[in-house]
Amino acid sequence: MDTVIDNVDYGPLAQLIGKWSGNVGLDIAPDADANPDESPFTNVITFTVAGAADNAEEQKLVAVKYHHVVRRADNGHIFHDQIGHWIYEPSSQVIMHSLTIPRGVCLLAGGTFKQTNDESIFDVKATAGSDSYGIVQSPFMLEKAKTNAFHMQMTVKHDELSYREVTSLHIYGKDFEHIDTSTLQRITYDQD
Ligand code: HEM
């Protein structure tokens, strides 16, 4: 696969570009009673090119931006919307993943990329309290539904993408692992 688009070499991020659709997702979300809510979902992720960036005339980065829309399988209503970037530094092979969700939570996760045969694995983490790969959240969320940590593993194999993300919350007086998993197929290769 050619990783260069408009003179920018997107490296491992190039394989993300396009529109992906999946209908086999499962959300395990907190509920005030003892049982977590389990909701099957459909989801679409669109990755488009975001160019290159130089930081402090030293750090060379490339990035793709994404929009992730998740709908309840039973009624098609949107119940999660997420935007951000996947960022790659070729010299260190560091991967960064920024995300914003409309609950008043943003984070920057950092990690690694591994290629095994024809499978690419992106693995990133963020932790509340970290000054680098950390989490920013509204006063309400800090008090009522704090995100303590986030860990995402995303695997890409040709035109199939799967992810597992674990959002560690403190909500309703206890710790809760909010887990989302899905497998998507690429439906277009559009770059922007
Ligand atoms: C496929 C991805 C995701 C889906 C489908 C999803 C869905 C949900 C659902 C259904 C709830 C229960 C409350 C409600 O009904 O609105 C919830 C709670 C929550 N989610 Fe997610 N979520 C996803 C990913 C994330 C991510 C990536 C984060 C943050 C890093 C996050 C943070 C939260 C927080 C802080 C709550 C607690 C708020 C509450 O329950 O009142 N979620 N999510």
Side-chain angles (χ1 to χ4, degrees):
M1 166 181 209
D2 188 5
T3 59
V4 179
I5 301 166
D6 294 339
N7 288 326
V8 175
D9 188 346
Y10 287 92
L13 302 181
Q15 64 197 306
L16 299 175
I17 288 167
K19 189 171 184 177
W20 304 73
S21 174
N23 57 5
V24 289
L26 182 67
D27 172 64
I28 303 175
D31 201 335
D33 68 23
N35 303 314
D37 272 346
E38 296 200 0
S39 310
F41 63 75
T42 63
N43 59 161
V44 171
I45 310 179
T46 312
F47 294 92
T48 56
V49 289
D54 289 354
N55 284 333
E57 296 187 1
E58 237 173 78
Q59 188 184 41
K60 315 279 182 212
L61 302 175
V62 291
V64 297
K65 66 182 171 187
Y66 72 92
H67 184 194
H68 186 185
V69 181
V70 186
R71 295 173 184 270
R72 286 190 188 278
D74 54 2
N75 60 15
H77 293 170
I78 294 175
F79 75 145
H80 182 79
D81 185 278
Q82 188 177 314
I83 56 170
H85 291 92
W86 283 89
I87 306 159
Y88 175 60
E89 183 182 24
S91 67
S92 64
Q93 303 207 321
V94 161
I95 294 282
M96 292 184 271
H97 175 212
S98 64
L99 73 82
T100 299
I101 57 167
R103 293 181 185 277
V105 179
C106 307
L107 65 82
L108 181 69
T112 56
F113 164 75
K114 277 195 197 120
Q115 181 82 44
T116 50
N117 299 324
D118 52 356
E119 206 171 68
S120 302
I121 302 169
F122 299 78
D123 190 303
V124 291
K125 289 180 183 166
T127 312
S130 168
D131 285 337
S132 53
Y133 298 128
I135 300 164
V136 180
Q137 40 204 323
S138 71
F140 179 89
M141 295 305 269
L142 268 181
E143 189 192 334
K144 299 281 190 175
K146 184 179 176 191
T147 301
N148 283 317
F150 171 81
H151 180 197
M152 180 171 189
Q153 283 165 304
M154 181 169 73
T155 302
V156 184
K157 193 174 177 184
H158 307 297
D159 288 336
E160 185 172 281
L161 179 155
S162 58
Y163 66 82
R164 180 174 195 271
E165 51 189 32
V166 179
T167 308
S168 304
L169 301 176
H170 189 79
I171 184 167
Y172 306 125
K174 55 181 191 288
D175 290 334
F176 182 87
E177 301 276 271
H178 173 24
I179 300 176
D180 291 280
T181 49
S182 184
T183 298
L184 302 89
Q185 311 297 327
R186 186 171 0 227
I187 52 174
T188 72
Y189 282 90
D190 292 350
Q191 295 165 5
D192 44 30

